[in-house]
Amino acid sequence: MKILLTGGAGYIGSHTAIELKKAGHEIVIGDNFSNSKPDVLEKINQIVGQKIEFHEIDFTNQNDTLKLFEECHFDAVIHFAGLKAVGESCTMPIEYYKNNIDSTLNIVEAMKKYDVNNLVFSSSATVYGIPKKLPLKEGMPTSCTNPYGWTKLMNEQILTDVTRANPKFSVVLLRYFNPIGAHESGLIGEDPNGIPNNLMPYITKVAKGVLPELNVFGNDYPTKDGTGVRDYIHVVDLAKGHVDAIEYAEKHRGVEIFNLGTGVGYSVLDIVNTFSRVNNIKVPYRIAERRDGDVAECYADAGKAREVLNWSATKTLDDMCKDSWNFAKNN
Ligand code: NAD
Ligand code: UDP
């Protein structure tokens, strides 16, 4: 398939580009570099041994989006492009709604006009809101606690409605849990600007000595050691899930939702201790106040993706911690 990767220069998109190439697909990346850098493209080219077609484009621009589809004759789209910082979405809701909703509307409009019928969308476990029951299954109720989450849920609704109205259309909504890790080459990984919000990029900055210590947000949750529990998944496992999802989308019609997680929850201290052990490096930390909006525990029931897509995560927490550090120490 010839597949457009919107946001393909980003963290998850760049790893997915490599796995799609390995699986024999032709890929085209479109990105505006609002949260990535052009040198990622060179790294992808180096890993796949070929120059990947790239277009610098903002998908909130309707004319540019239509023009790209007119030029390129895609068979499918994986739509990663979006703003993703929860805290920032609370202070900049207009920018978040505009970027994350307008881009999707422009893409589905272009898909309709140029008869492109297969789409995979990057959704998030955040759409489950505050979990009432664990593990989380795809059919469980959804809700959100911040504008970022709402953009994901609204996009899921838009894509569901668009698919209902068009019998040729096929959409897979992927609800990611917590991606960490990096490509084994150490060439690409997660490299956020400024002080990271997420746990693993914060840990690697502490390990490098850029930040003095990790703040562990709360040790009084009802979890095994009192710290928050999440379902961390290696980004390469996640990327492979997209290969299965887009191939599934091509063969089916309608909307399907899949959790992409491991089904296993690890605490903040599990991550800190594993990172220290496998990399033989100290991560100083202090216990801090709980962070607003955090839930105690969140992990997936990953059974549907295993049964229907024949996909499951294979990499361990040791792999995730090793690969995160292998990338971070050189970048
Ligand atoms: P990322 O920020 O690294 O990648 C997103 C890419 O999209 C960036 O390269 C950015 O420049 C680009 N982009 C944003 N708006 C654009 C626009 N209007 N036009 C063109 N390009 C645009 O993020 P990521 O971690 O790779 O996440 C990819 C997708 O997965 C996002 O939609 C994100 O919300 C979703 N997601 C991420 C996580 C996570 O923890 N990383 C979890 C759940 C869901
Ligand atoms: N966390 C932490 N310190 C940090 C960042 C995160 O203790 O500097 C905790 C957070 O409270 C949560 C877990 O690490 O329990 C994962 O947080 P992250 O922001 O990476 O992902 P989330 O699941 O919140 O999207």
PDB file of all heavy atoms in Angstrom, residues 177-178 230-234 237 259-266 299-303 306 311-316 320:
ATOM      1  N   PHE A 177      -1.540   3.092  25.014  1.00  0.00           N
ATOM      2  CA  PHE A 177      -1.289   3.276  26.442  1.00  0.00           C
ATOM      3  C   PHE A 177      -0.010   4.121  26.566  1.00  0.00           C
ATOM      4  O   PHE A 177       0.056   5.165  25.949  1.00  0.00           O
ATOM      5  CB  PHE A 177      -1.359   1.925  27.178  1.00  0.00           C
ATOM      6  CG  PHE A 177      -2.830   1.568  27.388  1.00  0.00           C
ATOM      7  CD1 PHE A 177      -3.641   1.234  26.298  1.00  0.00           C
ATOM      8  CD2 PHE A 177      -3.427   1.693  28.631  1.00  0.00           C
ATOM      9  CE1 PHE A 177      -5.016   1.014  26.459  1.00  0.00           C
ATOM     10  CE2 PHE A 177      -4.798   1.455  28.801  1.00  0.00           C
ATOM     11  CZ  PHE A 177      -5.581   1.118  27.722  1.00  0.00           C
ATOM     12  N   ASN A 178       0.993   3.757  27.316  1.00  0.00           N
ATOM     13  CA  ASN A 178       2.118   4.691  27.526  1.00  0.00           C
ATOM     14  C   ASN A 178       3.356   4.277  26.737  1.00  0.00           C
ATOM     15  O   ASN A 178       4.168   3.481  27.237  1.00  0.00           O
ATOM     16  CB  ASN A 178       2.461   4.759  29.016  1.00  0.00           C
ATOM     17  CG  ASN A 178       1.408   5.489  29.815  1.00  0.00           C
ATOM     18  OD1 ASN A 178       0.223   5.157  29.747  1.00  0.00           O
ATOM     19  ND2 ASN A 178       1.807   6.497  30.563  1.00  0.00           N
ATOM     20  N   ARG A 230       0.982   2.394  35.367  1.00  0.00           N
ATOM     21  CA  ARG A 230       0.603   2.581  33.962  1.00  0.00           C
ATOM     22  C   ARG A 230       1.036   1.385  33.141  1.00  0.00           C
ATOM     23  O   ARG A 230       1.921   0.624  33.529  1.00  0.00           O
ATOM     24  CB  ARG A 230       1.306   3.825  33.368  1.00  0.00           C
ATOM     25  CG  ARG A 230       0.946   5.156  34.012  1.00  0.00           C
ATOM     26  CD  ARG A 230      -0.478   5.586  33.693  1.00  0.00           C
ATOM     27  NE  ARG A 230      -0.786   6.874  34.283  1.00  0.00           N
ATOM     28  CZ  ARG A 230      -1.197   7.071  35.544  1.00  0.00           C
ATOM     29  NH1 ARG A 230      -1.335   6.037  36.368  1.00  0.00           N
ATOM     30  NH2 ARG A 230      -1.472   8.282  35.970  1.00  0.00           N
ATOM     31  N   ASP A 231       0.463   1.306  31.947  1.00  0.00           N
ATOM     32  CA  ASP A 231       0.765   0.237  31.003  1.00  0.00           C
ATOM     33  C   ASP A 231       1.772   0.782  29.988  1.00  0.00           C
ATOM     34  O   ASP A 231       1.401   1.391  28.988  1.00  0.00           O
ATOM     35  CB  ASP A 231      -0.551  -0.176  30.326  1.00  0.00           C
ATOM     36  CG  ASP A 231      -0.411  -1.362  29.407  1.00  0.00           C
ATOM     37  OD1 ASP A 231       0.711  -1.629  28.944  1.00  0.00           O
ATOM     38  OD2 ASP A 231      -1.438  -2.009  29.143  1.00  0.00           O
ATOM     39  N   TYR A 232       3.073   0.587  30.263  1.00  0.00           N
ATOM     40  CA  TYR A 232       4.125   1.094  29.377  1.00  0.00           C
ATOM     41  C   TYR A 232       4.341   0.106  28.239  1.00  0.00           C
ATOM     42  O   TYR A 232       4.410  -1.098  28.462  1.00  0.00           O
ATOM     43  CB  TYR A 232       5.428   1.315  30.159  1.00  0.00           C
ATOM     44  CG  TYR A 232       5.253   2.379  31.227  1.00  0.00           C
ATOM     45  CD1 TYR A 232       4.888   2.040  32.530  1.00  0.00           C
ATOM     46  CD2 TYR A 232       5.395   3.729  30.916  1.00  0.00           C
ATOM     47  CE1 TYR A 232       4.688   3.007  33.504  1.00  0.00           C
ATOM     48  CE2 TYR A 232       5.205   4.711  31.885  1.00  0.00           C
ATOM     49  CZ  TYR A 232       4.854   4.341  33.175  1.00  0.00           C
ATOM     50  OH  TYR A 232       4.650   5.306  34.132  1.00  0.00           O
ATOM     51  N   ILE A 233       4.443   0.660  27.026  1.00  0.00           N
ATOM     52  CA  ILE A 233       4.621  -0.205  25.857  1.00  0.00           C
ATOM     53  C   ILE A 233       5.793   0.312  25.028  1.00  0.00           C
ATOM     54  O   ILE A 233       5.935   1.536  24.849  1.00  0.00           O
ATOM     55  CB  ILE A 233       3.311  -0.281  25.025  1.00  0.00           C
ATOM     56  CG1 ILE A 233       3.553  -1.039  23.720  1.00  0.00           C
ATOM     57  CG2 ILE A 233       2.702   1.085  24.731  1.00  0.00           C
ATOM     58  CD1 ILE A 233       2.280  -1.414  22.989  1.00  0.00           C
ATOM     59  N   HIS A 234       6.629  -0.614  24.554  1.00  0.00           N
ATOM     60  CA  HIS A 234       7.778  -0.219  23.735  1.00  0.00           C
ATOM     61  C   HIS A 234       7.269   0.380  22.416  1.00  0.00           C
ATOM     62  O   HIS A 234       6.416  -0.209  21.758  1.00  0.00           O
ATOM     63  CB  HIS A 234       8.668  -1.432  23.464  1.00  0.00           C
ATOM     64  CG  HIS A 234      10.043  -1.070  22.981  1.00  0.00           C
ATOM     65  ND1 HIS A 234      10.262  -0.447  21.763  1.00  0.00           N
ATOM     66  CD2 HIS A 234      11.264  -1.211  23.552  1.00  0.00           C
ATOM     67  CE1 HIS A 234      11.568  -0.239  21.611  1.00  0.00           C
ATOM     68  NE2 HIS A 234      12.195  -0.691  22.691  1.00  0.00           N
ATOM     69  N   ASP A 237       7.046  -1.966  19.461  1.00  0.00           N
ATOM     70  CA  ASP A 237       5.853  -2.834  19.494  1.00  0.00           C
ATOM     71  C   ASP A 237       4.628  -2.044  19.023  1.00  0.00           C
ATOM     72  O   ASP A 237       3.805  -2.545  18.246  1.00  0.00           O
ATOM     73  CB  ASP A 237       5.588  -3.320  20.931  1.00  0.00           C
ATOM     74  CG  ASP A 237       6.433  -4.545  21.295  1.00  0.00           C
ATOM     75  OD1 ASP A 237       6.810  -5.303  20.385  1.00  0.00           O
ATOM     76  OD2 ASP A 237       6.696  -4.731  22.500  1.00  0.00           O
ATOM     77  N   ASN A 259      -7.197  -1.372  21.757  1.00  0.00           N
ATOM     78  CA  ASN A 259      -6.193  -0.936  22.724  1.00  0.00           C
ATOM     79  C   ASN A 259      -4.841  -1.433  22.256  1.00  0.00           C
ATOM     80  O   ASN A 259      -4.708  -2.605  21.884  1.00  0.00           O
ATOM     81  CB  ASN A 259      -6.440  -1.599  24.088  1.00  0.00           C
ATOM     82  CG  ASN A 259      -7.630  -1.025  24.808  1.00  0.00           C
ATOM     83  OD1 ASN A 259      -8.055   0.102  24.568  1.00  0.00           O
ATOM     84  ND2 ASN A 259      -8.183  -1.816  25.735  1.00  0.00           N
ATOM     85  N   LEU A 260      -3.815  -0.576  22.304  1.00  0.00           N
ATOM     86  CA  LEU A 260      -2.448  -1.058  22.123  1.00  0.00           C
ATOM     87  C   LEU A 260      -1.684  -0.818  23.423  1.00  0.00           C
ATOM     88  O   LEU A 260      -1.253   0.294  23.727  1.00  0.00           O
ATOM     89  CB  LEU A 260      -1.749  -0.370  20.939  1.00  0.00           C
ATOM     90  CG  LEU A 260      -2.292  -0.686  19.540  1.00  0.00           C
ATOM     91  CD1 LEU A 260      -1.402  -0.061  18.461  1.00  0.00           C
ATOM     92  CD2 LEU A 260      -2.447  -2.177  19.264  1.00  0.00           C
ATOM     93  N   GLY A 261      -1.603  -1.884  24.186  1.00  0.00           N
ATOM     94  CA  GLY A 261      -0.874  -1.867  25.458  1.00  0.00           C
ATOM     95  C   GLY A 261      -0.341  -3.267  25.687  1.00  0.00           C
ATOM     96  O   GLY A 261      -0.562  -4.168  24.859  1.00  0.00           O
ATOM     97  N   THR A 262       0.344  -3.465  26.813  1.00  0.00           N
ATOM     98  CA  THR A 262       0.852  -4.812  27.099  1.00  0.00           C
ATOM     99  C   THR A 262      -0.120  -5.592  27.974  1.00  0.00           C
ATOM    100  O   THR A 262      -0.043  -6.806  28.064  1.00  0.00           O
ATOM    101  CB  THR A 262       2.192  -4.744  27.858  1.00  0.00           C
ATOM    102  OG1 THR A 262       1.944  -4.126  29.128  1.00  0.00           O
ATOM    103  CG2 THR A 262       3.234  -3.953  27.098  1.00  0.00           C
ATOM    104  N   GLY A 263      -0.987  -4.867  28.689  1.00  0.00           N
ATOM    105  CA  GLY A 263      -1.872  -5.504  29.654  1.00  0.00           C
ATOM    106  C   GLY A 263      -1.253  -5.609  31.039  1.00  0.00           C
ATOM    107  O   GLY A 263      -1.877  -6.115  31.969  1.00  0.00           O
ATOM    108  N   VAL A 264      -0.012  -5.120  31.161  1.00  0.00           N
ATOM    109  CA  VAL A 264       0.682  -5.195  32.459  1.00  0.00           C
ATOM    110  C   VAL A 264       0.925  -3.785  32.984  1.00  0.00           C
ATOM    111  O   VAL A 264       1.371  -2.910  32.237  1.00  0.00           O
ATOM    112  CB  VAL A 264       2.055  -5.905  32.311  1.00  0.00           C
ATOM    113  CG1 VAL A 264       2.774  -5.990  33.649  1.00  0.00           C
ATOM    114  CG2 VAL A 264       1.864  -7.292  31.713  1.00  0.00           C
ATOM    115  N   GLY A 265       0.649  -3.587  34.268  1.00  0.00           N
ATOM    116  CA  GLY A 265       0.879  -2.277  34.869  1.00  0.00           C
ATOM    117  C   GLY A 265       2.176  -2.248  35.666  1.00  0.00           C
ATOM    118  O   GLY A 265       2.469  -3.193  36.407  1.00  0.00           O
ATOM    119  N   TYR A 266       2.953  -1.198  35.498  1.00  0.00           N
ATOM    120  CA  TYR A 266       4.156  -0.989  36.312  1.00  0.00           C
ATOM    121  C   TYR A 266       4.037   0.344  37.040  1.00  0.00           C
ATOM    122  O   TYR A 266       3.502   1.314  36.495  1.00  0.00           O
ATOM    123  CB  TYR A 266       5.420  -0.972  35.443  1.00  0.00           C
ATOM    124  CG  TYR A 266       5.803  -2.326  34.903  1.00  0.00           C
ATOM    125  CD1 TYR A 266       5.645  -2.622  33.558  1.00  0.00           C
ATOM    126  CD2 TYR A 266       6.336  -3.304  35.738  1.00  0.00           C
ATOM    127  CE1 TYR A 266       6.006  -3.871  33.053  1.00  0.00           C
ATOM    128  CE2 TYR A 266       6.694  -4.555  35.246  1.00  0.00           C
ATOM    129  CZ  TYR A 266       6.519  -4.834  33.908  1.00  0.00           C
ATOM    130  OH  TYR A 266       6.872  -6.069  33.408  1.00  0.00           O
ATOM    131  N   TYR A 299      -4.340   0.360  32.969  1.00  0.00           N
ATOM    132  CA  TYR A 299      -3.713  -0.619  32.081  1.00  0.00           C
ATOM    133  C   TYR A 299      -4.771  -1.297  31.223  1.00  0.00           C
ATOM    134  O   TYR A 299      -5.957  -1.320  31.552  1.00  0.00           O
ATOM    135  CB  TYR A 299      -2.845  -1.642  32.831  1.00  0.00           C
ATOM    136  CG  TYR A 299      -3.514  -2.339  33.983  1.00  0.00           C
ATOM    137  CD1 TYR A 299      -4.210  -3.535  33.774  1.00  0.00           C
ATOM    138  CD2 TYR A 299      -3.470  -1.818  35.265  1.00  0.00           C
ATOM    139  CE1 TYR A 299      -4.842  -4.185  34.823  1.00  0.00           C
ATOM    140  CE2 TYR A 299      -4.100  -2.471  36.320  1.00  0.00           C
ATOM    141  CZ  TYR A 299      -4.780  -3.646  36.091  1.00  0.00           C
ATOM    142  OH  TYR A 299      -5.420  -4.277  37.128  1.00  0.00           O
ATOM    143  N   ALA A 300      -4.279  -1.813  30.101  1.00  0.00           N
ATOM    144  CA  ALA A 300      -5.183  -2.304  29.058  1.00  0.00           C
ATOM    145  C   ALA A 300      -5.557  -3.758  29.228  1.00  0.00           C
ATOM    146  O   ALA A 300      -4.791  -4.544  29.785  1.00  0.00           O
ATOM    147  CB  ALA A 300      -4.491  -2.157  27.705  1.00  0.00           C
ATOM    148  N   ASP A 301      -6.706  -4.115  28.697  1.00  0.00           N
ATOM    149  CA  ASP A 301      -6.958  -5.484  28.278  1.00  0.00           C
ATOM    150  C   ASP A 301      -6.561  -5.491  26.806  1.00  0.00           C
ATOM    151  O   ASP A 301      -7.212  -4.840  25.988  1.00  0.00           O
ATOM    152  CB  ASP A 301      -8.440  -5.833  28.450  1.00  0.00           C
ATOM    153  CG  ASP A 301      -8.742  -7.261  28.001  1.00  0.00           C
ATOM    154  OD1 ASP A 301      -8.070  -7.732  27.058  1.00  0.00           O
ATOM    155  OD2 ASP A 301      -9.637  -7.888  28.574  1.00  0.00           O
ATOM    156  N   ALA A 302      -5.465  -6.154  26.494  1.00  0.00           N
ATOM    157  CA  ALA A 302      -4.948  -6.116  25.126  1.00  0.00           C
ATOM    158  C   ALA A 302      -5.431  -7.316  24.308  1.00  0.00           C
ATOM    159  O   ALA A 302      -4.886  -7.613  23.243  1.00  0.00           O
ATOM    160  CB  ALA A 302      -3.417  -6.058  25.158  1.00  0.00           C
ATOM    161  N   GLY A 303      -6.474  -7.986  24.798  1.00  0.00           N
ATOM    162  CA  GLY A 303      -6.938  -9.234  24.174  1.00  0.00           C
ATOM    163  C   GLY A 303      -7.521  -9.057  22.784  1.00  0.00           C
ATOM    164  O   GLY A 303      -7.324  -9.901  21.912  1.00  0.00           O
ATOM    165  N   ARG A 306      -4.886  -8.837  20.168  1.00  0.00           N
ATOM    166  CA  ARG A 306      -4.233 -10.151  20.023  1.00  0.00           C
ATOM    167  C   ARG A 306      -5.106 -11.079  19.174  1.00  0.00           C
ATOM    168  O   ARG A 306      -4.636 -11.709  18.234  1.00  0.00           O
ATOM    169  CB  ARG A 306      -3.996 -10.757  21.412  1.00  0.00           C
ATOM    170  CG  ARG A 306      -3.134 -11.992  21.402  1.00  0.00           C
ATOM    171  CD  ARG A 306      -2.732 -12.427  22.795  1.00  0.00           C
ATOM    172  NE  ARG A 306      -3.878 -12.631  23.676  1.00  0.00           N
ATOM    173  CZ  ARG A 306      -4.135 -11.921  24.769  1.00  0.00           C
ATOM    174  NH1 ARG A 306      -3.310 -10.966  25.154  1.00  0.00           N
ATOM    175  NH2 ARG A 306      -5.210 -12.156  25.510  1.00  0.00           N
ATOM    176  N   TRP A 311      -1.766  -9.328  16.960  1.00  0.00           N
ATOM    177  CA  TRP A 311      -0.650  -8.488  17.422  1.00  0.00           C
ATOM    178  C   TRP A 311      -0.548  -8.573  18.936  1.00  0.00           C
ATOM    179  O   TRP A 311      -1.561  -8.558  19.633  1.00  0.00           O
ATOM    180  CB  TRP A 311      -0.911  -7.014  17.033  1.00  0.00           C
ATOM    181  CG  TRP A 311       0.052  -6.070  17.700  1.00  0.00           C
ATOM    182  CD1 TRP A 311       1.249  -5.655  17.213  1.00  0.00           C
ATOM    183  CD2 TRP A 311      -0.088  -5.432  18.990  1.00  0.00           C
ATOM    184  NE1 TRP A 311       1.859  -4.808  18.107  1.00  0.00           N
ATOM    185  CE2 TRP A 311       1.063  -4.657  19.217  1.00  0.00           C
ATOM    186  CE3 TRP A 311      -1.069  -5.455  19.983  1.00  0.00           C
ATOM    187  CZ2 TRP A 311       1.269  -3.907  20.368  1.00  0.00           C
ATOM    188  CZ3 TRP A 311      -0.870  -4.708  21.143  1.00  0.00           C
ATOM    189  CH2 TRP A 311       0.286  -3.946  21.324  1.00  0.00           C
ATOM    190  N   SER A 312       0.657  -8.658  19.436  1.00  0.00           N
ATOM    191  CA  SER A 312       0.840  -8.412  20.865  1.00  0.00           C
ATOM    192  C   SER A 312       2.248  -7.885  21.093  1.00  0.00           C
ATOM    193  O   SER A 312       3.151  -8.096  20.268  1.00  0.00           O
ATOM    194  CB  SER A 312       0.561  -9.652  21.716  1.00  0.00           C
ATOM    195  OG  SER A 312       1.302 -10.718  21.236  1.00  0.00           O
ATOM    196  N   ALA A 313       2.404  -7.172  22.195  1.00  0.00           N
ATOM    197  CA  ALA A 313       3.698  -6.582  22.523  1.00  0.00           C
ATOM    198  C   ALA A 313       4.652  -7.689  22.948  1.00  0.00           C
ATOM    199  O   ALA A 313       4.250  -8.614  23.660  1.00  0.00           O
ATOM    200  CB  ALA A 313       3.526  -5.575  23.644  1.00  0.00           C
ATOM    201  N   THR A 314       5.905  -7.610  22.506  1.00  0.00           N
ATOM    202  CA  THR A 314       6.860  -8.662  22.850  1.00  0.00           C
ATOM    203  C   THR A 314       8.035  -8.136  23.675  1.00  0.00           C
ATOM    204  O   THR A 314       8.749  -8.914  24.292  1.00  0.00           O
ATOM    205  CB  THR A 314       7.441  -9.315  21.571  1.00  0.00           C
ATOM    206  OG1 THR A 314       8.067  -8.297  20.800  1.00  0.00           O
ATOM    207  CG2 THR A 314       6.372 -10.007  20.750  1.00  0.00           C
ATOM    208  N   LYS A 315       8.245  -6.845  23.678  1.00  0.00           N
ATOM    209  CA  LYS A 315       9.425  -6.309  24.365  1.00  0.00           C
ATOM    210  C   LYS A 315       9.136  -6.121  25.858  1.00  0.00           C
ATOM    211  O   LYS A 315       8.011  -5.826  26.250  1.00  0.00           O
ATOM    212  CB  LYS A 315       9.861  -5.001  23.716  1.00  0.00           C
ATOM    213  CG  LYS A 315      10.430  -5.254  22.308  1.00  0.00           C
ATOM    214  CD  LYS A 315      11.033  -4.027  21.707  1.00  0.00           C
ATOM    215  CE  LYS A 315      11.563  -4.268  20.330  1.00  0.00           C
ATOM    216  NZ  LYS A 315      12.976  -4.723  20.317  1.00  0.00           N
ATOM    217  N   THR A 316      10.194  -6.278  26.655  1.00  0.00           N
ATOM    218  CA  THR A 316      10.056  -6.236  28.108  1.00  0.00           C
ATOM    219  C   THR A 316      10.334  -4.831  28.646  1.00  0.00           C
ATOM    220  O   THR A 316      10.855  -3.969  27.919  1.00  0.00           O
ATOM    221  CB  THR A 316      11.076  -7.186  28.751  1.00  0.00           C
ATOM    222  OG1 THR A 316      12.389  -6.692  28.410  1.00  0.00           O
ATOM    223  CG2 THR A 316      10.918  -8.608  28.241  1.00  0.00           C
ATOM    224  N   MET A 320      12.622  -1.659  27.231  1.00  0.00           N
ATOM    225  CA  MET A 320      12.139  -0.270  27.133  1.00  0.00           C
ATOM    226  C   MET A 320      13.125   0.683  27.806  1.00  0.00           C
ATOM    227  O   MET A 320      13.453   1.742  27.276  1.00  0.00           O
ATOM    228  CB  MET A 320      10.761  -0.132  27.797  1.00  0.00           C
ATOM    229  CG  MET A 320       9.667  -0.992  27.164  1.00  0.00           C
ATOM    230  SD  MET A 320       8.063  -0.727  27.970  1.00  0.00           S
ATOM    231  CE  MET A 320       7.386  -2.373  27.960  1.00  0.00           C
TER     232      MET A 320
END
